[in-house]
Amino acid sequence: MEDSLVETKADIPTHLSLTPQEIIQDYRLAYQSRQVSLVGRREVLSGKAKFGIFGDGKEVVQVALAKVFQPGDFRSGYYRDQTLMFALGETTIQEFFAQLYAHADVEADPATAGRAMNAHFATRLLNPDGSWKDQTSMRNSSADVSPTAAQMPRLVGLAYASRLYRELDDLKSFTQFSHNGTEVAFGTIGNASTAEGMFWESINAIGVLRAPAVITIYDDGYGISVPNEQQMVKHDLSLILKGFQRVPGTCDGLDVYKVKGWDYPALVETYHKAAEEARCEHIPAIVHAIELTQPQGHSTSGSQERYKSKERLEWEQEFDCLKKFREWIIRQGLVAPDVLDQMEEEDRQTVEGIRKAAWEAYLSPIQQDGREAIRLIDELSRGSTHAGELTQVSQKLRDLSAPVRRDIMVAIREALVAARDEASPARSALIEWKSHLNAANEQRYSSHQYSQSPQSALEVPEVRPIYSATSPLVYGFEVIKACFDVALGRDPRVIAFGEDVGKLGDVNQGFKGLQAKYGELRVSDTGVREATILGQAIGMALRGLRPVAEIQYLDYILYALQILSDDLATLHWRTQGGQKAPVIVRTRGHRLEGIWHSGSMMAGIIHMVRGMHVLVPRNMTQAAGFYNTLLQADEPALVVEVLNGYRIKEQLPDNIGEFTLPMGVPEVIREGADVTIATYGACCRIVMEAAEVLSKVGIQAEIIDVRSLLPFDIHRLLLQSLQKTNRIVFVDEDVPGGTTAYMLQQVIEGQGGYTWLDSEPRTISGKPHRPAYGSDGDYWSKPNVEQVFETVYRLMNDADPARYPLFF
Ligand SMILES: Cc1ncc(C[n+]2csc(CCOP(=O)(O)OP(=O)(O)O)c2C)c(N)n1
């Protein structure tokens, strides 16, 4: 043990006043959890479940941790936490098995409704109508994701929210989320996952923000097969975490505890200290739980004998935390061994009983659907000339002892193919029932990608901007600033942060002077750490705040893209509406100068963040309208402002804080009858300029600013324009086949635009490489007026060469 690390004691601390009953209850819970792992693995190996990952070997740490987890606290953890969730009463053993079987019913698996893999935990933070529950009366868990360490960024915000609730007086009334910031956010992570950059970025951010997080590292020496020697310098996390260690008496840094993961009394005391400091003083902590084991290996898809030595496996048996816990209980004389044996036997039976109930609950509705399919197919076969074939189809289904829903759909399809030449009431009944099944499964697997609540962004009523004779002409950045000024003044939950957002008011001054006006906690600077800026926002939003998180340039969103994609965008869907994080991500892009300040990789983004709204306003007034809409909604969104728009003057609406822009509604910014040009963002200016030139040669282009890529043109305005012009061109700065191809697919396939085309649809995009530097680099890397003009003219020339002869 290093001197500077807080040492834990081996004896049961009397001041914790643990009763023998409580200790035995902890043991039994840990024992039951071990049984769940053993039985769970058996279920996978026997084919009832597809994959299993379990928390065996980590039980004792988790029962100790659960003791300090209070109502209002949050967990951000990973797949090893079953014992913690059982101990908190937030996941039942039956729910655990339901998830293992992929029981797609939110009643059976309230965490993910069968949508995520097994051991992906979450509590339901929302009422069925999408409104928040009272978090302070529940023990809360954010929803797990599989990528290693991806639970860490959101932990930053979950913990930091406590600081905001404590230090901002205007938030004191939000007692549904916090009681004076006394809530602790508990993170868990495996030793090997600490090799991820996100772990270090998060630890650093938590330390800098003085966010009350207690992070447990379960150290079992391996990451699947790779030992610590190949994971981290000095093979010992506590050693390398030393630099983060708080100097006693100061608030700077984290407390780092190192404790044996099988040593129950030491663990109890460690968590008691760590949680107390975090809760009362907002001092974060890391608990490095060492000497842990993995009795069944990493998961059901491999065997640890292939990579662990005989000596290591023997050591693991000897140091199994349950074995050690049991020995300690007996040594302490808390219970006689034979009584403990009897309790274990009872617990084994309990777990087996629950498993059985979970399996039956999972299978029974599917079997019921199977029986109905068999009945309808048998009905169809009566009097059919294909009776033989149809009977075979229904018999195949009948023979399956544990059908899945796919088997039923396959049988229906086979039956309909067999009876394709025989129209009959029985066939119609089968077709009707098939659509009923499809609709049910659509709901089962695809609901809640976006908000279904009355606060959906699509439900926010449109309020038009009001202009008067006195509406001033101001720079674009001043429009943004005026909008956020109203938002911050109106709602104390609105918290803005990012690199240079605080003192400077962002690099383009959209928050100029607002930190001075609203304080350092409302408008803040952050370190240069995009993934955790986003994580900070997710955690805060999960705790009822309204973060506006800034990524300084669109180009740098790639650092946060994994968290955007895996965590934020999937959150509502992967919990089937159980959680939401209405984060507004603000960034700027498309056009400035050079390779990493003028990116417009919109297709890369929109394809990876389905579940979020992606808005691409062409000027700052439009951006402000989107912010006003989003601040009334309960959904996450990304707003990409146009980088070169801050110094362009716009008229400031009189109702800058109130007017709203609808999502998914394009705007016709120039009318014309010959060709439709769909574009967005900075390209609007270029296309408008090209349209002027086109008009000089007799071509009237209708220009539509798409404004919102996700959702896209929900009222089919582009189709209406195409019906008029019969020609369409898509323009943007992304790579060829990027967002232009997406828009083309939406209109030509999605809206059925192909039937209205008189000319081939065209796309105009940037080059496949990144934008080159300088004005000429930009001109030859991105769409320009000449290119738009020539492409559209050629289109018209193809249609009517006599009227539009080539002259270039
Ligand atoms: C980003 C990412 N890379 C790789 C994986 C595959 N993977 C799953 S678990 C794991 C090892 C994790 O080891 P550790 O953090 O020690 O946790 P343990 O499973 O041992 O509790 C790996 C590499 C993943 N899920 N995510």
Side-chain angles (χ1 to χ4, degrees):
M1 174 98 43
E2 292 300 310
D3 291 347
S4 59
L5 303 175
V6 178
E7 204 164 330
T8 55
K9 296 195 179 64
D11 297 329
I12 189 85
T14 47
H15 62 274
L16 296 180
S17 58
L18 285 171
T19 63
Q21 287 78 1
E22 199 180 339
I23 295 169
I24 291 164
Q25 200 180 328
D26 280 348
Y27 177 76
R28 292 191 72 172
L29 203 133
Y31 186 84
Q32 283 189 8
S33 184
R34 176 65 61 88
Q35 287 310 303
V36 168
S37 304
L38 298 173
V39 173
R41 184 177 172 85
R42 193 191 70 201
E43 292 301 274
V44 177
L45 300 185
S46 73
K48 284 204 188 115
K50 296 197 81 173
F51 172 78
I53 194 154
F54 306 102
D56 46 314
K58 279 83 186 173
E59 293 92 344
V60 178
V61 186
Q62 294 178 32
V63 289
L65 166 49
K67 300 183 105 49
V68 294
F69 202 114
Q70 297 291 316
D73 289 351
F74 258 89
R75 164 188 171 276
S76 188
Y78 79 119
Y79 49 79
R80 298 284 178 216
D81 284 343
Q82 69 193 51
T83 313
L84 173 64
M85 295 303 285
F86 297 155
L88 296 178
E90 294 301 334
T91 299
T92 65
I93 292 176
Q94 178 147 348
E95 286 164 359
F96 184 88
F97 280 117
Q99 199 179 62
L100 185 72
Y101 300 134
H103 190 163
D105 183 336
V106 76
E107 299 295 325
D109 168 18
T112 74
R115 289 179 179 186
M117 221 177 217
N118 99 293
H120 281 55
F121 305 102
T123 53
R124 297 196 80 73
L125 304 178
L126 303 180
N127 295 306
D129 67 357
S131 60
W132 291 109
K133 290 183 180 174
D134 177 0
Q135 295 183 354
T136 58
S137 61
M138 307 185 293
R139 291 176 171 84
N140 307 288
S141 172
S142 58
D144 294 2
V145 291
S146 297
T148 46
Q151 69 273 32
M152 294 301 294
R154 104 172 77 87
L155 181 69
V156 176
L158 288 171
Y160 183 56
S162 285
R163 228 193 112 190
L164 296 169
Y165 280 116
R166 183 171 294 177
E167 294 182 31
L168 288 171
D169 284 344
D170 289 345
L171 290 178
K172 292 277 189 272
S173 58
F174 292 89
T175 51
Q176 199 179 356
F177 299 101
S178 177
H179 289 313
N180 198 32
T182 49
E183 303 76 22
V184 175
F186 290 94
T188 65
I189 186 165
N191 52 296
S193 302
T194 65
E196 296 278 10
M198 264 183 210
F199 170 77
W200 297 100
E201 189 179 316
S202 303
I203 296 287
N204 183 54
I206 284 167
V208 169
L209 293 171
R210 287 193 290 113
V214 173
I215 300 146
T216 302
I217 301 163
Y218 304 141
D219 193 343
D220 58 18
Y222 290 82
I224 310 186
S225 65
V226 183
N228 278 353
E229 287 70 30
Q230 279 155 275
Q231 301 283 2
M232 69 223 35
V233 170
K234 300 182 185 178
H235 328 155
D236 181 345
L237 268 160
S238 304
L239 270 185
I240 47 179
L241 284 167
K242 230 171 132 180
F244 288 87
Q245 174 73 48
R246 176 172 70 113
V247 176
T250 71
C251 297
D252 218 4
L254 298 92
D255 285 340
V256 183
Y257 300 84
K258 186 177 191 179
V259 54
K260 295 188 171 73
W262 45 262
D263 188 344
Y264 175 79
L267 286 161
V268 172
E269 183 171 26
T270 303
Y271 281 116
H272 182 77
K273 272 193 210 156
E276 187 79 0
E277 286 285 306
R279 203 176 298 287
C280 304
E281 309 299 332
H282 283 180
I283 304 286
I286 297 176
V287 177
H288 180 199
I290 56 166
E291 297 191 12
L292 286 169
T293 68
Q294 206 139 263
Q296 301 191 112
H298 176 77
S299 72
T300 51
S301 31
S303 122
Q304 54 182 345
E305 286 72 22
R306 283 193 294 160
Y307 52 83
K308 284 185 186 163
S309 66
K310 193 169 150 282
E311 294 70 39
R312 169 75 195 187
L313 289 168
E314 279 167 12
W315 178 88
E316 290 206 8
Q317 282 199 358
E318 182 54 32
F319 281 80
D320 185 309
C321 64
L322 263 192
K323 181 170 177 280
K324 289 269 175 203
F325 193 9
R326 188 187 148 107
E327 286 166 3
W328 180 81
I329 288 174
I330 291 169
R331 254 202 332 272
Q332 299 283 316
L334 300 179
V335 64
D338 58 331
V339 177
L340 212 46
D341 288 346
Q342 207 179 326
M343 287 172 175
E344 289 176 357
E345 176 53 28
E346 262 172 44
D347 290 336
R348 278 198 293 275
Q349 285 179 19
T350 305
V351 169
E352 183 52 24
I354 297 172
R355 181 213 59 80
K356 208 159 161 251
W359 174 248
E360 277 160 17
Y362 156 76
L363 199 56
S364 137
I366 303 178
Q367 283 177 324
Q368 205 175 323
D369 281 353
R371 282 194 293 274
E372 181 61 3
I374 289 165
R375 189 188 71 76
L376 288 166
I377 295 167
D378 287 349
E379 192 73 23
L380 183 60
S381 79
R382 266 189 276 284
S384 166
T385 54
H386 307 290
E389 205 178 328
L390 288 166
T391 310
Q392 265 183 17
V393 171
S394 72
Q395 190 56 44
K396 209 162 63 178
L397 196 52
R398 218 178 251 115
D399 289 344
L400 294 174
S401 58
V404 292
R405 291 194 161 88
R406 186 189 54 206
D407 296 321
I408 298 170
M409 290 307 280
V410 168
I412 295 171
R413 190 250 302 145
E414 285 175 352
L416 289 174
V417 169
R420 67 190 177 281
D421 55 355
E422 289 179 345
S424 67
R427 194 177 73 169
S428 308
L430 187 59
I431 292 171
E432 198 181 317
W433 195 64
K434 173 173 153 268
S435 5
H436 157 78
L437 279 189
N438 272 331
N441 285 314
E442 174 73 19
Q443 171 66 23
R444 202 168 268 132
Y445 296 109
S446 305
S447 73
H448 295 90
Q449 187 160 23
Y450 289 91
S451 171
Q452 298 180 193
S453 86
Q455 281 79 46
S456 151
L458 297 177
E459 300 292 330
V460 175
E462 181 177 359
V463 176
R464 292 187 169 279
I466 298 169
Y467 295 100
S468 62
T470 53
S471 307
L473 199 60
V474 298
Y475 286 115
F477 77 87
E478 294 172 297
V479 176
I480 293 288
K481 195 198 91 168
C483 161
F484 284 129
D485 193 357
V486 179
L488 285 157
R490 180 177 47 214
D491 187 345
R493 298 170 307 162
V494 175
I495 311 276
F497 52 92
E499 296 154 20
D500 304 292
V501 167
K503 203 165 192 173
L504 190 63
D506 97 37
V507 287
N508 291 98
Q509 301 189 300
F511 281 95
K512 188 180 171 188
L514 297 184
Q515 185 183 67
K517 185 167 175 184
Y518 294 99
E520 285 187 15
L521 289 176
R522 298 288 307 284
V523 182
S524 322
D525 285 318
T526 66
V528 184
R529 50 175 180 81
E530 286 76 14
T532 51
I533 287 175
L534 188 67
Q536 185 174 332
I538 297 171
M540 287 164 62
L542 279 166
R543 293 193 59 194
L545 298 170
R546 298 306 314 251
V548 178
E550 179 169 318
I551 301 295
Q552 201 160 71
Y553 295 98
L554 180 61
D555 307 67
Y556 308 136
I557 213 162
L558 296 192
Y559 274 46
L561 189 57
Q562 186 262 327
I563 291 295
L564 270 176
S565 180
D566 286 329
D567 197 0
L568 184 57
T570 65
L571 179 70
H572 202 54
W573 175 84
R574 76 178 191 267
T575 56
Q576 207 197 78
Q579 298 193 0
K580 63 180 175 185
V583 169
I584 297 176
V585 183
R586 174 183 183 230
T587 190
R588 49 188 76 88
H590 306 315
R591 244 164 222 255
L592 186 68
E593 285 295 339
I595 175 165
W596 280 296
H597 290 86
S598 53
S600 190
M601 57 298 194
M602 294 312 301
I605 294 170
I606 58 174
H607 295 321
M608 295 184 80
V609 304
R610 301 295 165 100
M612 291 181 67
H613 295 305
V614 177
L615 308 161
V616 280
R618 68 178 177 277
N619 60 33
M620 300 306 153
T621 309
Q622 301 258 317
F626 280 138
Y627 290 128
N628 289 337
T629 304
L630 291 168
L631 285 164
Q632 293 180 47
D634 67 354
E635 297 185 80
L638 168 68
V639 181
V640 185
E641 294 166 15
V642 173
L643 237 174
N644 56 9
Y646 299 108
R647 294 272 155 196
I648 295 172
K649 289 204 163 172
E650 297 177 28
Q651 204 170 17
L652 184 71
D654 298 346
N655 57 345
I656 180 65
E658 284 77 42
F659 83 99
T660 56
L661 221 58
M663 307 276 133
V665 181
E667 185 182 1
V668 178
I669 53 176
R670 187 186 207 280
E671 291 198 7
D674 296 324
V675 57
T676 300
I677 308 181
T679 188
Y680 61 89
C683 278
C684 287
R685 280 180 181 279
I686 287 162
V687 173
M688 286 294 269
E689 214 179 309
E692 284 301 309
V693 190
L694 285 164
S695 123
K696 287 194 185 127
V697 296
I699 297 168
Q700 298 310 327
E702 176 138 303
I703 309 212
I704 300 186
D705 175 8
V706 165
R707 305 201 289 192
S708 160
L709 293 173
L710 295 176
F712 186 86
D713 190 13
I714 53 176
H715 304 312
R716 298 175 168 233
L717 200 120
L718 280 155
L719 183 68
Q720 283 168 34
S721 177
L722 179 57
Q723 284 168 346
K724 178 171 73 174
T725 63
N726 308 111
R727 289 181 189 87
I728 193 158
V729 180
F730 299 93
V731 185
D732 83 349
E733 302 176 34
D734 203 348
V735 291
T739 309
T740 46
Y742 161 77
M743 294 193 284
L744 184 133
Q745 179 270 336
Q746 290 284 309
V747 177
I748 304 304
E749 183 189 58
Q751 300 183 356
Y754 67 98
T755 57
W756 298 92
L757 285 172
D758 282 350
S759 300
E760 64 168 324
R762 294 298 310 266
T763 62
I764 304 174
S765 59
K767 287 282 170 60
H769 54 72
R770 299 284 179 102
Y773 185 53
S775 300
D776 285 345
D778 174 271
Y779 183 86
W780 268 284
S781 299
K782 297 211 164 190
N784 55 56
V785 174
E786 284 63 46
Q787 193 186 358
V788 175
F789 171 81
E790 288 188 14
T791 307
V792 173
Y793 191 88
R794 276 182 201 281
L795 198 66
M796 299 308 289
N797 163 266
D798 278 350
D800 190 346
R803 191 162 167 202
Y804 302 108
L806 282 186
F807 59 91
F808 49 84

